[in-house]
Amino acid sequence: MLDWTDRHCRYFHRLLTKEALLYTEMVTTGALIYGKGDYLAYSEEEHPVALQLGGNEPTALAYCAKMAQQSGYDEINLNIGCPSDRVQNGRFGACLMREGGLVADCIKAMQDAATIPITVKTRIGVDDDDSYAFLTDFIDKIVTDSQCRLFIIHARKAWLSGLSPKQNREIPPLDYLRVYQLKKDFPQLTIVVNGGIKNIDEAKQHLHHLDGVMIGREAYQNPALLTQVDVEFFDQRSLVIDPIIAVQTMYPYIERELKQGTYLGHITRHMLGIFQAIPGARQWRRHLSENAHKKGADVTVVKQALEFITGN
Ligand SMILES: Cc1cc2nc3c(=O)[nH]c(=O)nc-3n(C[C@H](O)[C@H](O)[C@H](O)COP(=O)(O)O)c2cc1C
């Protein structure tokens, strides 16, 4: 998720679940090839981690897939779901649902360049192209022409004009049944559902019909949810971590990052929601929000904030 699941966020989330696959923000081929930043940087501890790419040129995507594999990413996911104006102007994201042939060419080129799995994240339709036949034609084209076998489906369509990206995550109705039907019609595919999933019970319901669940906003805003994932879905009770311990485990990482010039607030902003509904949570958030951006702020700010939760 752009601006949200950066490497600091993923490092923190990995402390909360060892098993869930984590995704980067979308990185465009243009940024990777021509940009000055190190868009592929991540910490080894984040594995398994998937890089999400945005683009529409097979050659450029192949080049980026190779870079991603060399950097050690575990999966590359192609974004065919983003409806933002900027992305549409670049002719990628959700509007590519209308160009299944091109998407298949992109995936094939990436598969020729890299051996790690290449997956697709998409919607159930765009604008008035929202019939079930439109969705199955799109998937069928990709499956026939490429080796892509894993699809993450955001269970709502996107309106390409008139709605902001935020509205496009809220206004078009969720249609989980359509995603279930897709799995019935393509049983050989791994189908992961996304959109509006708020808790473990809802995720379990979907898993009666599907192969996986992707949780976006709720995992970010209420990261403690992730502490239940390993025990509930992977039978890994020993991996469950207390959120207080998770915060304390961040201290060495924070110290290391601050030495390299990272601002404290760039790390702690992802930790604000960890104590949701726990006494002291509001003070925890306030202390971090008011102090983490100050000049010279260091790990002491986090230790002080944690005292509102632990009481000492
Ligand atoms: C701030 C923000 C940034 C997002 N950036 C991306 C992105 O880079 N790539 C992507 O595929 N989806 C992105 N999304 C959409 C989410 O991945 C997800 O599809 C959507 O929020 C619905 O799932 P949820 O209800 O679990 O959040 C973003 C969502 C938010 C809130």
Side-chain angles (χ1 to χ4, degrees):
M1 291 185 285
L2 283 175
D3 199 39
W4 284 15
T5 56
D6 64 16
R7 63 190 181 87
H8 306 309
C9 173
R10 298 189 308 262
Y11 188 96
F12 181 52
H13 284 186
R14 179 56 72 216
L15 296 177
L16 307 171
T17 163
K18 295 291 170 221
E19 299 286 345
L21 177 59
L22 302 177
Y23 286 79
T24 68
E25 312 162 85
M26 178 181 69
V27 183
T28 63
T29 51
L32 265 191
I33 297 171
Y34 305 110
K36 299 235 185 308
D38 186 358
Y39 295 98
L40 293 179
Y42 68 94
S43 305
E44 279 303 312
E45 291 87 342
E46 290 173 35
H47 286 295
V49 58
L51 174 74
Q52 189 185 58
L53 286 176
N56 65 2
E57 290 170 35
T59 324
L61 282 163
Y63 184 75
C64 293
K66 203 178 226 168
M67 287 168 78
Q69 175 154 311
Q70 276 164 1
S71 295
Y73 280 94
D74 299 289
E75 172 183 318
I76 299 164
N77 177 262
L78 184 61
N79 183 326
I80 314 287
C82 180
S84 80
D85 288 345
R86 188 176 69 89
V87 161
Q88 277 190 67
N89 289 338
R91 232 187 93 223
F92 59 101
C95 62
L96 285 182
M97 282 198 85
R98 293 203 173 101
E99 299 189 62
L102 174 59
V103 174
D105 288 345
C106 290
I107 295 168
K108 262 191 300 186
M110 294 161 87
Q111 285 171 331
D112 288 343
T115 53
I116 52 175
I118 312 290
T119 65
V120 164
K121 178 163 181 272
T122 190
R123 300 244 183 175
I124 57 174
V126 282
D127 295 338
D128 291 323
D129 286 325
D130 61 358
S131 66
Y132 183 60
F134 173 79
L135 177 62
T136 53
D137 284 352
F138 172 68
I139 301 287
D140 197 45
K141 181 80 188 148
I142 296 173
V143 173
T144 308
D145 291 357
S146 82
Q147 297 296 319
C148 180
R149 296 294 177 265
L150 192 152
F151 293 82
I152 302 163
I153 313 282
H154 183 176
R156 50 164 70 88
K157 73 170 177 179
W159 284 105
L160 294 180
S161 56
L163 293 190
S164 68
K166 184 167 187 290
Q167 290 171 320
N168 258 314
R169 294 191 285 268
E170 288 160 4
I171 293 176
L174 287 159
D175 188 350
Y176 297 126
L177 294 182
R178 192 160 280 201
V179 187
Y180 298 171
Q181 188 60 44
L182 196 65
K183 176 67 189 178
K184 281 191 192 139
D185 292 333
F186 294 87
Q188 77 280 22
L189 300 181
T190 302
I191 303 285
V192 177
V193 68
N194 164 245
I197 301 161
K198 294 242 181 277
N199 56 50
I200 298 290
D201 283 343
E202 288 177 22
K204 282 186 175 167
Q205 290 306 315
H206 292 302
L207 290 175
H208 290 309
H209 308 272
L210 297 165
D211 304 296
V213 169
M214 172 188 262
I215 301 183
R217 289 166 291 188
E218 190 64 24
Y220 186 83
Q221 283 151 1
N222 175 25
L225 170 70
L226 296 174
T227 64
Q228 300 168 58
V229 167
D230 294 355
V231 60
E232 295 288 347
F233 299 108
F234 298 92
D235 212 13
Q236 295 280 9
R237 192 163 293 275
S238 61
L239 298 181
V240 175
I241 187 167
D242 183 291
I244 293 174
I245 310 275
V247 167
Q248 290 167 336
T249 310
M250 285 296 282
Y251 297 166
Y253 176 80
I254 291 171
E255 283 167 344
R256 188 172 89 206
E257 284 293 325
L258 296 192
K259 271 195 199 123
Q260 288 165 6
T262 302
Y263 288 108
L264 180 66
H266 288 175
I267 303 174
T268 54
R269 70 194 184 100
H270 305 301
M271 300 163 65
L272 296 176
I274 183 68
F275 296 119
Q276 218 179 77
I278 289 178
R282 188 195 301 232
Q283 293 96 318
W284 153 264
R285 280 196 306 271
R286 192 190 307 142
H287 192 79
L288 288 181
S289 305
E290 287 176 356
N291 297 291
H293 65 278
K294 288 185 180 159
K295 202 162 184 269
D298 65 15
V299 73
T300 316
V301 172
V302 187
K303 291 180 180 171
Q304 288 163 346
L306 193 60
E307 285 173 15
F308 291 109
I309 304 295
T310 59
N312 55 47

